Amino acid sequence: MTTSKASGAAASPTSSAGEAGRPRLISVRNAGRSRSTSARRRRRSSSIVLLLGLLATGVMWTVLAPGGNATETPDANEAVRQGRALFLQGCATCHGLNAQGSTEGPSLIGVGAAAVDFQMSTGRMPLAAPAAQADRKPPSYSETQIDQIAAYVQTLGGGTQVPELTEADLNDADLAEGGELFLANCAQCHQAAGAGAPLTYGKFAPSLSQATPEQVVEAMRTGPESMPVFGPGQINDDEAVAVAAYVRHLQDTPSPGGSSIGKYGPVPEGLVAWVIGIGALLGVCLWIGARQKL
Ligand code: HEC
Ligand code: HEC
């Protein structure tokens, strides 16, 4: 159908060329001038017809072309297939051939794509060696590979999907509400400024200075290691975005009054004041004493 329309449009330049003979008959007297104008007119009209033809083809294409949805299913299956291959290579030794878990690592059935995305985008997984707690490090897989493994794990009994946060969502979020939720739910482990703090048995709540908003929401929803899960019943999706926006706000806020001294709060600040302040005073006393002896 598209082609017949296009060929119809392509045929019209010949018919308009036939019509263009008309002005030449009328103006026999100044034939030279009219020949050039009619040639120009012919050229112009044929280019207009060509443009219309192209436009029509474009419109027909957008209306009649098969939608993108048809190709989505094979793509998703392909991602899962690739993800399974990557999983068998890099994760199965600890998590089992079917992600059922082993003595080296927990089962991943039902943890969902969000857990995989969190663990892999923060570089915690693949774990290099057993330790009290997996550290954050640069990710060793590409984003595409992480998506593929996440897609594979998602097929094993579902679970939380990777959150989709937009810049607009974060900008519209209620920072004050995010701050309140953060102080009530997160600060006891991560500290009010998100600097992190040690927990028991060699474990620690890490600093939040590098976490992306997606990772903040994923951490809340999946509860990595000894962090509790904050489900939608406790912190709903809008509130979760507000917390993520607040964590980003903490990252962006420069320390008022000079060095943050690790943002550990009043105790190290006092310590620094005592050690440096009293040290300086002692220095001044010694200097005065030394001068008086002379
Ligand atoms: C050396 C062993 C080891 C390897 C290799 C490993 N993991 Fe893990 N994984 C663990 C252990 C142990 C834990 C639990 C401790 C923790 O979360 O720090 C864990 C936890 C996880 C979790 C969190 C589960 C939950 O309940 O939230 C995910 C997701 C995960 N691993 C995915 C992967 C993926 C994907 C790979 C491959 C790229 C991988 N792991 C490779 C040992 C391993
Ligand atoms: C009981 C203590 C505890 C509480 C409460 C807690 N966390 Fe955590 N959080 C942890 C621990 C422990 C880890 C490290 C997990 C790991 O390494 O697998 C962590 C990791 C994180 C990370 C990953 C940081 C990174 O850069 O890799 C983020 C983000 C995070 N928490 C956000 C939150 C938010 C937001 C809240 C409040 C809604 C919260 N946490 C409440 C203990 C806690």
Side-chain angles (χ1 to χ4, degrees), residues 153-219:
V153 170
Q154 185 72 31
T155 63
L156 311 171
T160 313
Q161 293 273 14
V162 176
E164 281 175 22
L165 300 182
T166 64
E167 197 54 35
D169 289 342
L170 289 164
N171 289 337
D172 290 350
D174 187 341
L175 265 188
E177 188 192 20
E180 273 168 33
L181 287 164
F182 186 87
L183 288 179
N185 296 291
C186 326
Q188 74 264 37
C189 291
H190 291 285
Q191 302 293 319
L199 303 171
T200 48
Y201 302 111
K203 301 188 174 187
F204 57 95
S207 151
L208 301 183
S209 63
Q210 296 180 63
T212 66
E214 281 80 13
Q215 289 166 353
V216 172
V217 176
E218 286 167 353

Side-chain angles (χ1 to χ4, degrees), residues 45 51 59 61 71 78 81 86 90 125 144 160 185 192 197 217 219 237 245 254 256 274 283:
S45 69
L51 258 178
V59 168
W61 175 253
T71 53
E78 180 59 18
R81 210 179 57 75
L86 289 166
M125 292 293 142
T144 316
T160 313
N185 296 291
V217 176
D237 285 348
W274 275 88

